[in-house]
Structures are given as C-alpha cells and as structure tokens.
Amino acid sequence: MRRFFRFLRPMIFLRRRAILSGLFGNSRRWLMVGGAAWVLHWIGRLFSGPDPSPRYTRELKAGERVIVIHEPESPAARKRARKRAAKAARKAGRSAR
C-alpha cells in the first residue's frame, strides 16, 4: 500500500510522465518539465544530508517495551533543554525539602 501512495506524490508523477511522454513520446515540453523535475530532485538530495543512523538496536523479549524520545536537533536546542531539565531538577529539589 505504501508503494501505491508513493506514486501520488507530484514530483514522482512529473518525473515518470516526463520519461514516458518526453523521452519515449517525443514531446519537447514534457522533456523540459522532466529535466526541471530531475534537477530539483538532485538539488534536494544534495542538500538534505545523510540518512540518520540507528543509535541503539536490540531485540525485544515478550513483555518488554520501547520508549522513543526525540533529541533536540541543534546544539542551541540541546543547551536550552539541559537548562530546562536542570531548572526543573532544582525546583523539584526545593519542593522536596
């Protein structure tokens, strides 16, 4: 089902249509549309960065569960998150006294 929805994405449709109509159908317009679509595709791939690598892998046994936590992306966001956590810990420590 996932492969079916992939074909509904506009850029994929344009590239596919450009190949069929532009290269095999001798339509100059579709050839130019396809060239623009492929250029945009490669520019996007060039600037998108590498795919994320897995941080931790392990097989789960029956009854075990996984908790997924989102890490902040930028160093500044990580610094803000650390400050918030430290502030919350101090606040929790004061209220426990």
Side-chain angles (χ1 to χ4, degrees):
M1 189 71 164
R2 196 170 124 199
R3 292 187 76 184
F4 172 74
F5 288 119
R6 183 172 180 230
F7 294 120
L8 295 178
R9 292 180 24 200
M11 290 304 282
I12 292 174
F13 171 76
L14 284 176
R15 287 190 308 233
R16 184 175 304 271
R17 179 71 187 250
I19 289 172
L20 293 175
S21 299
L23 290 177
F24 300 132
N26 292 328
S27 172
R28 190 174 289 275
R29 282 187 193 151
W30 275 111
L31 191 62
M32 290 179 7
V33 168
W38 278 104
V39 166
L40 289 174
H41 169 76
W42 285 108
I43 287 174
R45 287 196 60 177
L46 181 68
F47 290 111
S48 68
D51 290 336
S53 59
R55 298 283 181 168
Y56 180 74
T57 57
R58 184 178 144 206
E59 283 198 33
L60 296 177
K61 298 174 186 161
E64 291 184 331
R65 61 182 166 170
V66 175
I67 299 174
V68 179
I69 299 172
H70 176 75
E71 295 179 354
E73 295 82 17
S74 68
R78 273 184 280 204
K79 187 175 181 180
R80 285 192 302 268
R82 276 198 307 269
K83 280 186 177 182
R84 277 194 299 267
K87 187 176 180 181
R90 282 194 305 268
K91 190 174 184 180
R94 283 187 209 143
S95 65
R97 290 182 201 177

